[in-house]
């Protein structure tokens, strides 16, 4: 019965996504839903995109092993990312009326920076999408009681999500996300209530977790631990900001106010609901201690699904796996679309300047197909946990793309030379610590890379410019003097001094 429900739900979701494809007539519709999404849909797609497999399977497993201290990156860092985007990045980016986040780097810093940051952003999605596809394989394997292997489940899952994403683009993602947000919220609350009744209420679980030290959050007063804690937090909080999926939700909004406050509300909802799977997973210790002890060191991601299958009634199983599938599908479709649109717009399109909008739309779909194939191979061969896949995904954008984005918006004196030096120093420092550094460095690789990136931006921008600085004004590029400092435009301002 559970498997047939999953199949029926899957067919309905694909049908809704294909229906939404009727709204796609050009690349703007495909990439950012024609900038027509209302507040409730933007909020839903912000929440549903981030509430993925790592939230239901990865975070609870990490919480059981390490407590709140182990989940500082997600949900604490990730939810703050969405709130920061709404408060500090949504309005200036929305005013620029761009199709991709790569377009910002092109307008602000020129073609070289656009290419480098776009490549970094596309690579970063391998881990995130890979985590969703891995989770799909796991879910199909569980609900079919092993009849469908994890490998087959990955292929079925990625293939069916591809169908509506490749045709419907952002419209399909937004419409299905709205449905999936409703199912996630209702399903999580329902199964939470069911599990709560098995253990004597929420208070019993909270009391036991507190006694076990699971609510210990802050690091001990040791410099190395404090730095490691901060590095874990900023990896997703800042590294997720220069991402196309976040940018798409900003640009898809009808108005600036929607772009700002839907991001803030979506991030806040995500933070609240992310604690429900943690509560469920810890409840497993009280309901079935042997289950937890058997899986905690071998496959902790299976604790929650196994608990539901063994101890919950059929309707509760339907609600849980419906919520889980909704979480995975919403996240996977968004993260398949985002890098494909970015790569097509910022890498392929400049190579074929005579391409029509219809041809560009076709290429976006071809790249989406190609990226799905590549990321499925990555997921099949990856040995990382779902949580680690997601956490590691943002290190490259943290060290290469965050500083040029934030300085590009808020520091008028940032130049092309500064952006290029920022990218170079951030990337090389990060790689050097990862490859040549100790196994447990005093300053983690991504933190070292972020510091080097900021230093490169400041030094490169304040030193005499040896790289021509292109300033985009009124659609024309002006090449500044190679030897003098250039005061560059701020996206906030309407008037520009050269």
């Amino acid at each position: 019965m559970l498997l047939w429900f999953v199949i029926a739900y899957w067919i309905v979701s694909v049908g809704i996504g294909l229906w939404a494809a009727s709204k796609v007539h050009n690349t703007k519709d495909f990439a950012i839903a024609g900038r027509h999404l209302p507040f409730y849909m933007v909020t839903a797609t912000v929440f549903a995109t981030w509430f993925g497999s790592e939230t239901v399977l990865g975070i609870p497993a990490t919480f059981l092993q390490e407590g709140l201290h182990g989940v500082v990156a997600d949900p604490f860092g990730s939810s703050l990312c969405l709130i920061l985007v709404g408060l500090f990045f949504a309005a200036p980016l929305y005013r620029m009326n761009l199709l991709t986040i790569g377009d910002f780097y092109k307008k602000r810093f020129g073609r070289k920076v656009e290419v480098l940051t776009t490549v970094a952003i596309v690579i970063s999605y391998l881990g995130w999408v890979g985590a969703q596809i891995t989770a799909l394989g796991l879910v199909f394997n569980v609900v079919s009681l092993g009849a469908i292997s994890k490998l087959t489940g990955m292929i079925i899952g990625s293939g069916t999500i591809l169908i509506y994403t490749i045709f419907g683009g952002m419209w399909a993602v937004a419409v299905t996300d709205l449905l999936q947000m409703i199912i996630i919220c209702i399903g999580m609350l329902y199964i939470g209530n069911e599990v709560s009744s098995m253990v004597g209420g929420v208070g019993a679980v909270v009391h036991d977790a507190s006694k076990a030290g699971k609510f210990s959050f802050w690091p001990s007063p040791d410099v190395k631990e404090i730095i490691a804690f901060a590095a874990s937090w900023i990896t997703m909080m800042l590294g997720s900001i220069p991402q196309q999926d976040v940018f798409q939700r900003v640009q898809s909004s009808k108005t600036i106010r929607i772009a700002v406050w839907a991001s803030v509300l979506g991030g806040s909802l995500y933070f609240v609901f992310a604690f429900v799977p943690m509560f469920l997973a810890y409840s497993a210790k009280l309901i079935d201690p042997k289950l937890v002890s058997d899986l905690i060191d071998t496959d902790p991601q299976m604790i929650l699904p196994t608990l539901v299958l063994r101890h919950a009634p059929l309707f509760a199983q339907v609600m849980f796996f419906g919520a889980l599938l909704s979480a995975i599908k919403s996240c996977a479709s968004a993260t398949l679309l985002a890098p494909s649109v970015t790569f097509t717009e910022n890498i392929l399109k400049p190579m074929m300047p005579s391409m029509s909008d219809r041809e560009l739309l076709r290429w976006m779909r071809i790249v989406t197909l190609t990226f799905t194939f590549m990321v499925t191979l990555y997921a099949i061969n990856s040995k990382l946990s779902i949580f680690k896949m997601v956490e590691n995904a943002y290190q490259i954008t943290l060290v290469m793309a965050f500083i040029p984005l934030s300085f590009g918006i808020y520091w008028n004196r940032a130049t092309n030379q500064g952006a290029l030096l920022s990218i170079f120093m951030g990337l090389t420092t990060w790689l050097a610590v990862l490859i040549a550094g100790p196994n447990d460095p005093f300053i983690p690789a991504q933190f070292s890379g972020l510091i080097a990136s900021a230093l490169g931006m400041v030094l490169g921008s304040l030193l005499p410019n040896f790289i021509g600085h292109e300033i985009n004004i009124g659609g024309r590029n002006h090449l500044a003097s190679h030897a003098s400092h250039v005061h560059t435009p701020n996206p906030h301002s309407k008037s520009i001094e050269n």
Side-chain angles (χ1 to χ4, degrees), residues 224-498:
K224 184 177 179 181
E225 281 200 32
I226 292 171
I227 293 174
F229 179 84
S232 181
W233 197 323
I234 64 172
T235 298
M236 290 191 72
M237 182 174 70
L238 304 183
S240 304
I241 290 176
Q243 289 284 358
Q244 175 64 16
D245 62 283
V246 177
F247 176 84
Q248 277 178 311
R249 277 127 197 84
V250 168
Q251 293 296 318
S252 299
S253 306
K254 274 186 176 181
T255 66
I256 287 182
R257 284 180 62 84
I258 291 174
V260 171
W261 295 111
S263 296
V264 172
L265 179 58
S268 302
L269 287 172
Y270 172 75
F271 181 76
V272 171
F273 274 89
F275 282 90
V276 178
M278 283 190 267
F279 165 79
L280 297 175
Y282 195 83
S283 298
K285 286 191 69 174
L286 305 181
I287 297 170
D288 193 341
K290 186 177 185 303
L291 165 67
V292 175
S293 63
D294 289 344
L295 293 174
I296 191 69
D297 294 322
T298 56
D299 195 0
Q301 296 166 164
M302 284 295 297
I303 291 174
L304 193 47
T306 307
L307 172 75
V308 173
L309 281 177
R310 285 188 185 178
H311 297 280
L314 178 61
F315 186 72
Q317 293 178 20
V318 168
M319 295 301 291
F320 172 78
F321 284 102
L324 176 56
L325 283 171
S326 294
I328 298 170
K329 282 162 63 67
S330 59
C331 191
S333 59
T335 49
L336 283 175
L337 179 66
S340 305
V341 168
T342 304
F343 183 84
T344 309
E345 171 71 12
N346 300 109
I347 302 295
L348 285 184
K349 184 182 175 182
M351 295 178 181
M352 297 179 278
S354 60
M355 193 188 321
S356 67
D357 188 77
R358 181 179 293 275
E359 291 172 326
L360 182 62
L361 178 59
R362 184 170 69 248
W363 272 107
M364 284 183 178
R365 286 169 168 155
I366 292 172
V367 172
T368 303
L369 173 64
T370 305
F371 187 77
T372 304
F373 176 75
M374 291 172 57
V375 82
T376 303
L377 287 179
Y378 170 80
I380 290 170
N381 292 287
S382 177
K383 303 300 180 185
L384 294 174
S385 69
I386 290 171
F387 186 82
K388 282 298 178 185
M389 271 197 230
V390 173
E391 186 179 16
N392 291 344
Y394 301 107
Q395 292 192 20
I396 190 168
T397 46
L398 177 68
V399 303
M400 288 183 66
F402 173 72
I403 293 296
L405 175 64
S406 53
F407 277 64
I409 292 175
Y410 286 104
W411 195 38
N412 284 347
R413 301 180 72 180
T415 65
N416 288 15
Q417 179 174 280
L420 287 169
L421 189 58
S422 170
I423 292 169
F424 174 76
M425 288 181 63
L427 178 63
T428 53
T429 303
W430 175 61
L431 289 175
V433 176
L434 281 179
I435 297 170
N439 291 331
D440 185 20
F442 185 78
I443 301 179
Q446 71 269 33
F447 206 169
S448 301
L450 178 66
I451 295 169
S453 179
L455 184 63
M457 173 61 80
V458 174
L459 289 177
S461 298
L462 295 182
L463 290 172
N465 275 286
F466 299 99
I467 298 174
H469 185 71
E470 292 182 357
I471 307 172
N472 189 280
I473 304 174
R476 295 175 297 163
N477 286 332
H478 297 253
L479 188 63
S481 167
H482 285 238
S484 62
H485 175 74
V486 179
H487 185 82
T488 58
N490 190 325
H492 282 296
S493 60
K494 292 183 180 178
S495 61
I496 300 174
E497 281 187 8
N498 184 358

Side-chain angles (χ1 to χ4, degrees), residues 171-225:
W171 268 115
V173 170
V175 172
T176 53
D177 277 359
L178 178 61
L179 170 67
Q180 286 155 359
M181 176 184 171
I182 295 169
I183 294 173
I184 289 169
C185 293
I186 294 174
M188 285 290 117
L189 291 175
Y190 180 85
I191 192 68
N193 182 65
E194 284 288 312
V195 169
S196 175
S197 65
M198 298 179 194
V199 293
V202 175
V205 177
V206 171
H207 177 71
D208 195 85
S210 180
K211 280 177 58 180
K214 295 301 181 182
F215 293 145
S216 176
F217 179 70
W218 299 105
S220 62
D222 175 81
V223 175
K224 184 177 179 181
E225 281 200 32

